[in-house]
Amino acid sequence: MPHTPAVARTLPALQRTLENLRKRRATVALVPTMGALHDGHISLVRLAKRGADKVAVSIFVNPAQFAPHEDFGSYPRTWKADAAKLAAEGVDLIWNPDAKLMYPDGFATRVEIEGPATAGLEDRFRPHFFGGVATVVAKLLAQVRPDIAIFGEKDYQQLKVVTQMARDLNLGARIIGAPIMRERDGLAMSSRNVYLTPEQRKAAPALHRAMKDVVRRLRQSEDLASALAAGSKLIADAGFKLDYLEARHAETLAPLTRIGKEPARLLAAATIGTTRLIDNMKIQR
Ligand code: AMP
């Protein structure tokens, strides 16, 4: 029978619980989340369980990564359901700090990242975002000091940013990426999918479908520009406003003009109604 996870909401409680968990040199995995947990998050928890003896999940809706016009206020908060899901997975610890604890009065530090954080993808449309993510992830890693931390490939650029930061700042945790979990119709799972109206929900898988079509065209040796143009049209025809649809080097995120031998990733962001969706996939030739 999985036991109920310990819930820590203060730093002393967190440290006490971690000391207990680390007895007999047990290793600890951290899965950082903003709650509103779905099966994508749960897949990260399962990967964490395979990679470490004990699993901590943080639930913190991080104000620092939302721009003023974004959805911080309305972001779904589903504590009871989240806690029940994590208990069912046998998670050991839920770290659930509040904004005052994370950013007390007088807080004056922000982690600045370059490299993957300035690749011209999400950063072009959400200039606040990666500074806020890097700052909160640096804090979470410093607070929990996990052996490994799991991040989803769903937020592909974020995974690269966090990996770079953990390496550059010697944060001590090994960052592990987890594959994207999708609904049966291909839509990437996201806490924000609840914003979609039934009609938009029906149209939303077109983003993933169009991306698969681009990958198929590339596999048939169509040139990159025309494959991307065809994909962009499919996405627009489904009612999306496209922010970007681009092929990038899978590791450095450097722009590609053609698909060659180097590992490549197709990345997209598009808005349907008022909901912005992101997705990405491997380009196989
Ligand atoms: P969030 O709560 O949206 O900040 O996401 C927390 C973590 O879950 C991040 O590392 C995300 O990349 C990951 N994640 C979100 N959606 C998915 C998904 N559909 N498949 C796999 N991982 C996901």
Side-chain angles (χ1 to χ4, degrees):
M1 241 332 252
H3 54 94
T4 313
V7 177
R9 294 201 167 89
T10 66
L11 283 170
L14 175 68
Q15 297 318 333
R16 248 192 335 266
T17 311
L18 284 168
E19 262 166 44
N20 260 327
L21 292 182
R22 287 213 177 88
K23 279 186 185 149
R24 289 183 289 278
R25 294 172 178 245
T27 54
V28 174
L30 174 65
V31 181
T33 81
M34 298 205 299
L37 302 181
H38 50 66
D39 286 353
H41 298 111
I42 299 306
S43 75
L44 270 52
V45 170
R46 291 183 182 165
L47 197 60
K49 280 203 105 162
R50 292 205 293 277
D53 302 317
K54 305 288 178 185
V55 175
V57 174
S58 60
I59 297 183
F60 178 61
V61 185
N62 175 32
Q65 71 192 62
F66 289 80
H69 67 275
E70 291 181 342
D71 56 342
F72 176 71
S74 58
Y75 195 83
R77 287 160 171 89
T78 57
W79 168 261
K80 269 198 167 158
D82 293 351
K85 286 178 187 174
L86 297 178
E89 293 300 317
V91 161
D92 299 283
L93 162 64
I94 306 177
W95 172 222
N96 182 220
D98 66 10
K100 264 239 158 326
L101 188 155
M102 293 298 267
Y103 305 113
D105 289 344
F107 186 88
T109 301
R110 198 167 162 95
V111 176
E112 189 179 319
I113 54 277
E114 293 173 356
T118 55
L121 296 163
E122 284 303 286
D123 50 299
R124 205 147 47 91
F125 296 89
R126 304 182 73 191
H128 283 71
F129 182 65
F130 288 122
V133 167
T135 303
V136 81
V137 171
K139 283 183 70 92
L140 291 168
L141 293 178
Q143 290 162 344
V144 178
R145 304 218 159 268
D147 299 274
I148 60 173
I150 319 287
F151 290 83
E153 288 183 345
K154 162 78 179 4
D155 301 271
Y156 196 79
Q157 188 179 7
Q158 169 177 287
L159 169 62
K160 298 298 168 197
V161 168
V162 168
T163 303
Q164 177 86 43
M165 173 181 71
R167 189 165 59 223
D168 288 351
L169 298 184
N170 307 111
L171 293 179
R174 190 157 56 86
I175 307 298
I176 296 176
I180 301 178
M181 292 294 126
R182 299 182 180 279
E183 304 290 352
R184 292 166 76 91
D185 57 13
L187 176 65
M189 290 180 181
S190 164
S191 305
R192 289 190 166 99
N193 290 350
V194 298
Y195 297 153
L196 299 170
T197 65
E199 202 179 321
Q200 291 163 353
R201 175 64 189 80
K202 242 167 109 183
L207 178 61
H208 171 248
R209 251 192 334 267
M211 295 174 75
K212 277 206 327 204
D213 187 62
V214 172
V215 171
R216 182 185 57 78
R217 285 166 181 271
L218 293 171
R219 213 181 287 134
Q220 293 168 353
S221 298
E222 189 168 319
D223 74 277
L224 181 56
S226 79
L228 291 176
S232 302
K233 181 168 183 320
L234 286 175
I235 293 167
D237 288 350
F240 282 93
K241 190 185 104 14
L242 184 63
D243 281 350
Y244 59 83
L245 174 68
E246 288 196 41
R248 294 295 184 101
H249 189 288
E251 295 308 319
T252 65
L253 300 183
L256 299 175
T257 50
R258 53 180 289 280
I259 303 303
K261 281 210 172 63
E262 54 288 84
R265 198 92 188 173
L266 183 66
L267 301 109
T271 301
I272 185 158
T274 54
T275 305
R276 189 167 178 280
L277 303 179
I278 59 172
D279 204 341
N280 66 86
M281 64 183 62
K282 189 174 177 178
I283 298 176
Q284 286 157 323
R285 283 218 96 166

